[in-house]
Amino acid sequence: CSVVRGLGDVYKRQIKYGNGVKYVGEIRKVSPKGFIIRKMKFKHGTGIMYFANGDQLNGEWCYDQCKRGTAISVLKIGKRSKN
């Protein structure tokens, strides 16, 4: 991923989505073509995506796309039913 130097800084922030998913990591406020977009935040750099079911995706992000990462799945064990 090529980074446009001098346009928009990389910040360590949190992005919350409406479906219970959140991203914690580096973001950039510049589009891939170098335009500054004030209201949009792009996952860019290293960060962790936390899903509502407990799963995680720890990776390197480039303009909202995960380029490399490791997925961690959380297995929830429920109560046994008597049959």
Side-chain angles (χ1 to χ4, degrees):
C1 177
S2 61
V3 177
V4 179
R5 298 284 178 209
L7 290 176
D9 296 324
V10 175
Y11 303 95
K12 183 114 178 164
R13 295 279 195 271
Q14 177 174 300
I15 302 172
K16 291 184 180 180
Y17 299 93
N19 57 0
V21 175
K22 74 175 178 180
Y23 169 80
V24 178
E26 297 174 341
I27 65 163
R28 180 174 290 276
K29 293 184 180 181
V30 175
S31 73
K33 295 186 179 189
F35 299 108
I36 296 175
I37 301 172
R38 296 176 194 267
K39 294 189 180 189
M40 291 188 69
K41 298 175 186 173
F42 296 97
K43 296 179 289 290
H44 193 87
T46 57
I48 302 172
M49 181 77 80
Y50 296 95
F51 295 94
N53 66 355
D55 293 350
Q56 298 177 12
L57 178 56
N58 184 355
E60 294 178 27
W61 302 83
C62 183
Y63 294 110
D64 275 352
Q65 301 291 319
C66 184
K67 297 297 180 184
R68 272 182 288 229
T70 304
I72 301 169
S73 183
V74 177
L75 177 63
K76 294 183 180 179
I77 300 172
K79 293 182 180 178
R80 277 188 161 184
S81 61
K82 294 183 180 181
N83 289 334

